Amino acid sequence: MSEEQFSTERRILMAMRKTLGGIIRDLTPSDSAVTYPLSDATVEDVKKCFDLIAARERELASAAGVREERPHFLDEVSAPKVVSIQGLKKRD
């Protein structure tokens, strides 16, 4: 697959994930006393769709050489700091 095809497929997957999420948010009643409008089978099907989308996104990221697509804060430390414990004294 070319880079353009990866990009197009990735955009399609993102749009599908956002659309499914929006539909679920819109259908979820704000009052817990109101019954949920979707059947259990439909909810399971939506979950399977999310799983398939996530799996394909991981495959595309792996093929593109991207290790991790998790968001990071600007001030987040990129490497862990190692602290030596050899200089610590025992309490008496």
Side-chain angles (χ1 to χ4, degrees):
M1 265 187 163
S2 70
E3 188 66 34
E4 183 177 317
Q5 288 172 323
F6 276 135
S7 177
T8 302
E9 186 175 1
R10 185 168 184 237
R11 287 195 339 258
I12 291 169
L13 291 169
M14 288 174 61
M16 289 171 56
R17 183 172 23 90
K18 287 181 182 181
T19 302
L20 275 174
I23 291 169
I24 297 302
R25 273 192 301 278
D26 290 347
L27 289 175
T28 303
S30 57
D31 186 8
S32 61
V34 178
T35 60
Y36 196 68
L38 299 178
S39 68
D40 291 341
T42 303
V43 171
E44 286 304 313
D45 289 342
V46 170
K47 288 179 182 180
K48 288 177 187 176
C49 286
F50 277 123
D51 288 341
L52 290 171
I53 291 169
R56 184 60 183 149
E57 285 177 331
R58 281 191 301 271
E59 289 174 357
L60 290 174
S62 176
V66 177
R67 289 186 191 172
E68 193 174 311
E69 288 194 10
R70 298 173 67 193
H72 298 281
F73 293 105
L74 293 175
D75 60 346
E76 184 176 349
V77 179
S78 59
K81 292 184 179 179
V82 179
V83 178
S84 174
I85 59 170
Q86 288 182 328
L88 298 176
K89 296 181 181 178
K90 289 186 178 179
R91 286 188 167 178
D92 294 325

